[in-house]
Amino acid sequence: MTISSELPKLALIDADVLVYRVAFASEEESEEICFARAKELLFEIVYTELNCNDYKAYITGSGNFRYLVATTAPYKGNRKDTPKPKHYDALREYLQRLGAELVEGQEADDAIAIEATKEQDKCWIVSIDKDFDQVPGWHYNFVKKEKYYVTEEEGIRSFYTQILTGDRVDNILGIKGIGPVKAAKLLENCTTERTFYDACVKAYDGDVERVTENGVLLWLRRHPDQLWLPPLPLQDSSGQSGTLRELPNTDSVTLTPKKSSSDQE
C-alpha cells in the first residue's frame, strides 16, 4: 500500500467533542460567546491548522444500537449521572445550523468512520478520541496538535488491543489487569486478523461471547448498518471487519509523536 504524500483537503469533525470542550469552557459565559468560541475553534482547525477546503461535522443523536448489544455491563452506564454543560443543547443546535449532521441509530464516530472509509486518504479524522485509531487514514488530534497516519495493520492492532483492555470511558469491560502494554505483548506475534482474534479468545479463556460482545461494541462501522463479526477463514470481507488474510506491511507515517509513555499502563 502506498500512502499519498498529498495531505487531505477535507476534514471530518467529531462535533461531540467540540460541544463538550467548548461548552464546559464557557460555563460562566453567555450563549453568544459560547457559539463564537465554537465557530472560531472549528474554523481554526479546518482552515488554518489543516489547510482544508471543506469539512463535514457529525453529532450523535438518539437510538445507539450498542445499548441493546451490551450485556456484561450497561453501555456508557457510568455516565448516566454525569451533568452536561449549561450550553450543551444550544451549542448542538448551533453546530447543526453550521452544517453538522445529526446521526441517528448509531454514534457520530460510526458516521465518521463510514465517510473516512469512502474517502480513504482524502480526508482527516479530527478528534481526540483514541477509538478512531482503529480506522486507517489521516488523523488529527486538535488538542495535542498531532497529525498522524494509521495503517490497516495499526488499525486492526488498535481494535484488538481495545477488545482486551476494554474502554472505561464507555463502560466496556476488558480483562482485569490488562492495559495497553500487556495487550501489546499478547498480540505481538499476530500477523493476520484471525490470529489477533484467536489471541483475544485465548486471553478470555475461550469466552467467545465476551470477545464478540466487545468487538461489536468497539468496532466503528465502515458501511451503513454493519455489525462486527469474528473473522473467519476464506470468508469474503464484505460486511465483515476482516478475513484470514495477511495484513499489509506498511510503514506508518507520523507527523508528530502519536503516543506518550503516560498513555500506557
Side-chain angles (χ1 to χ4, degrees), residues 191-203:
T191 58
T192 68
E193 184 166 4
R194 181 66 190 199
T195 58
F196 278 102
Y197 170 76
D198 288 342
C200 289
V201 172
K202 182 178 179 180

Side-chain angles (χ1 to χ4, degrees), residues 203-236:
Y204 274 94
D205 294 326
D207 193 341
V208 172
E209 289 186 4
R210 284 282 286 108
V211 173
T212 303
E213 179 184 343
N214 274 15
V216 174
L217 293 173
L218 291 162
W219 179 255
L220 298 183
R221 287 173 161 173
R222 312 304 156 81
H223 310 284
D225 301 321
Q226 180 190 31
L227 286 180
W228 181 81
L229 293 172
L232 299 175
L234 305 179
Q235 184 164 352
D236 189 287

Side-chain angles (χ1 to χ4, degrees), residues 87-103:
H87 300 304
Y88 175 80
D89 290 324
L91 185 52
R92 282 167 55 89
E93 292 176 3
Y94 174 71
L95 288 176
Q96 289 176 69
R97 294 201 295 273
L98 289 182
E101 176 184 335
L102 185 66
V103 178

Side-chain angles (χ1 to χ4, degrees), residues 152-186:
E152 183 178 3
E153 190 275 337
E154 289 171 332
I156 291 295
R157 188 173 296 276
S158 177
F159 170 67
Y160 282 97
T161 295
Q162 279 198 298
I163 286 181
L164 294 173
T165 63
D167 187 337
R168 295 175 187 173
V169 174
D170 289 337
N171 205 36
I172 300 172
L173 305 184
I175 300 173
K176 185 176 181 180
I178 292 186
V181 174
K182 290 183 179 178
K185 184 69 175 176
L186 290 171

